[in-house]
């Protein structure tokens, strides 16, 4: 409770010093999170309560096992995060808005209390997120609004398990719990790609170990197929991020670039259709790759995968010893941003097979 009071006092002070638009933003953030925390109930009580939903109780018992595994086997923080459950009555906890200029992959940033500057702005109400996106489009930005099943308060609060990701099954719960707890191990202000790529590698390693130790053969097969699709989709978007970046860096007349951009995204949709066919028609990414997919969408998904190969190489170099890996990443986090990127780039071979060089 003292932590909550200290946070609220800091937030109120920030609001007092902010402009009107920031006051409204912080007010919705504070109200949304307080509502979420009020809905949280200890998982142990829900599992043991005789009058509770038996199916929910069974699911939460699995969640408790996942949470214990995260600290025992992955070296993730052993605290009260993800030891409570909240049903907030909607499919997503927040909606994030991403934006980029029409002819650039330079993500728009927003700076917020506690976490620094990030490449998105989150809202508890989807209408608020869509309203901001519409305003940004009026300013000639490409925008992407994505629903988010979970977020981390970096240990400031005891984050609960939510219905927003419980409904997706055991493996999705494990994935999210491992990912969000990783943010409590290492988090660098003003470097979203570093933070998300690191947490994604921890998530992947955690899922590999969890499925080997706990999953049924059917769950293992489903996990392998899901992971392959995610890797395929990530490679597709990485390819088109590189193509888009090369296009925009060539310069030239804006109209010519707009025409080339339209052709680029049409080709992306065709390649996605072919990829989907290779998956046997799996349509899980259809809601993402629509007619209005744009620069902001490329950025949104790049944040979670851009640096994953480098972090995966670092984990392999440490023989998959997670405590050693965390120490190496913590050391990287102390470097200036350009030096961090350079150190990560050196972990991967360049196109000619030699280690990447940085100036």
């Amino acid at each position: 409770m003292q932590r909550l009071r200290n946070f609220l006092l800091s937030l109120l002070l920030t609001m007092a010093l902010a402009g009107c638009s920031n006051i409204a933003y912080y007010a919705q953030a504070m109200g949304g999170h307080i509502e979420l925390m009020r809905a949280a109930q200890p998982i142990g009580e829900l599992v043991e309560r005789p009058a509770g939903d038996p199916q929910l109780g069974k699911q939460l018992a699995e969640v408790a096992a996942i949470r214990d595994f995260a600290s025992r086997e992955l070296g993730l923080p052993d605290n009260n995060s993800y030891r409570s459950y909240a049903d907030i009555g909607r499919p997503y906890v927040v909606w994030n808005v991403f934006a980029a200029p029409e002819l650039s992959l330079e993500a728009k940033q927003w700076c917020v209390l506690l976490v620094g500057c990030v490449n998105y702005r989150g809202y508890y109400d989807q209408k608020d997120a869509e309203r901001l996106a519409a305003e940004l489009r009026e300013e000639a930005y490409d925008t992407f609004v994505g629903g988010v099943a979970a977020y981390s308060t970096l240990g400031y609060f005891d984050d609960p398990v939510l219905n927003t990701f419980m409904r997706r099954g055991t493996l999705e719960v494990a994935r999210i719990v491992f990912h969000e707890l990783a943010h409590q191990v290492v988090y660098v202000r003003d470097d979203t790609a570093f933070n998300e790529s690191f947490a994604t590698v921890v998530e992947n390693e955690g899922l590999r170990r969890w499925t080997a130790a706990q999953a049924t053969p059917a769950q293992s097969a489903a996990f392998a197929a899901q992971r392959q699709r995610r890797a395929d989709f990530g490679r597709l978007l990485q390819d088109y991020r590189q193509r888009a970046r090369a296009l925009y860096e060539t310069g030239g007349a804006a109209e010519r670039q707009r025409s080339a951009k339209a052709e680029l995204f049409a080709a992306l949709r065709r390649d996605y259709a072919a990829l989907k066919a290779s998956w046997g028609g799996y349509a899980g990414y259809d809601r993402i790759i629509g007619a209005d997919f744009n620069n902001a969408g490329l950025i949104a998904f790049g944040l979670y995968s851009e640096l994953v190969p480098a972090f995966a190489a670092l984990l392999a170099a440490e023989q998959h010893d997670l405590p050693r890996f965390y120490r190496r990443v913590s050391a990287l986090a102390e470097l200036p941003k350009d030096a961090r990127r350079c150190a990560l780039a050196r972990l991967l071979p360049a196109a000619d097979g030699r280690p990447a060089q940085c100036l």
Side-chain angles (χ1 to χ4, degrees), residues 79-334:
N79 54 29
N80 287 325
S81 293
Y82 307 107
R83 297 191 188 277
S84 61
Y85 171 72
D87 186 338
I88 56 175
R90 57 182 187 266
Y92 298 107
V93 59
V94 294
W95 284 263
N96 283 344
V97 181
F98 300 84
E102 179 189 13
L103 299 173
S104 169
L105 290 185
E106 187 69 31
K108 182 174 175 61
Q109 284 196 329
W110 290 270
C111 298
V112 295
L113 182 68
L114 301 180
V115 299
C117 298
V118 294
N119 298 118
Y120 54 85
R121 196 159 175 85
Y123 289 89
Y124 285 87
D125 189 319
Q126 184 178 6
K127 292 179 181 177
D128 290 338
E130 297 287 0
R131 187 176 300 115
L132 174 62
E135 292 172 0
L136 290 167
R137 286 193 294 272
E138 289 293 322
E139 298 174 20
Y141 281 98
D142 280 6
T143 65
F144 178 83
V145 178
V148 178
Y151 64 84
S152 173
T153 59
L154 309 180
Y156 285 98
F157 294 93
D158 298 330
D159 298 321
V161 172
L162 302 173
N163 67 294
T164 55
F165 57 92
M166 274 274 290
R167 63 190 174 90
R168 301 182 181 186
T170 302
L171 288 177
E172 187 68 4
V173 171
R175 183 187 75 78
I176 288 176
V177 168
F178 301 157
H179 184 104
E180 300 302 339
L181 283 172
H183 287 315
Q184 295 187 23
V185 176
V186 178
Y187 185 89
V188 181
R189 290 178 66 90
D190 309 337
D191 198 341
T192 305
F194 182 94
N195 296 326
E196 297 301 343
S197 295
F198 161 67
T200 296
V201 168
V202 174
E203 156 201 325
N204 290 341
E205 177 67 8
L207 280 172
R208 184 184 69 80
R209 297 187 187 193
W210 171 260
T211 53
Q214 303 290 336
T216 65
Q219 286 177 320
S220 295
F223 167 66
Q226 178 194 63
R227 188 169 185 175
Q228 185 61 57
R229 289 191 296 264
R230 184 173 294 159
D232 291 345
F233 187 69
R235 283 192 292 270
L236 176 70
L237 294 191
Q238 173 64 18
D239 178 33
Y240 276 89
R241 275 193 298 274
Q242 292 174 349
R243 295 190 196 187
R245 188 171 288 114
L247 168 64
Y248 302 142
E249 287 176 354
T250 60
E255 283 305 317
R256 187 182 310 150
Q257 284 208 331
R258 289 189 185 101
S259 177
K261 175 186 175 183
E263 292 175 4
L264 183 77
F265 280 96
L268 169 57
R269 288 188 288 274
R270 289 194 297 271
D271 285 349
Y272 169 67
L275 185 59
K276 178 179 170 181
S278 75
W279 295 335
Y282 175 79
Y285 293 99
D286 282 6
R287 65 181 180 82
I288 296 168
I289 304 294
D292 58 350
F293 192 73
N294 56 33
N295 292 342
L298 287 176
I299 286 170
F301 290 91
L303 295 175
Y304 290 82
S305 60
E306 178 183 352
L307 303 176
V308 163
F311 280 112
L314 181 57
L315 179 61
E318 296 299 334
Q319 289 78 51
H320 291 259
D321 183 313
L322 282 170
R324 280 167 40 190
F325 173 64
Y326 298 154
R327 288 194 290 272
R328 289 285 302 276
V329 175
S330 295
L332 288 174
E334 296 298 319

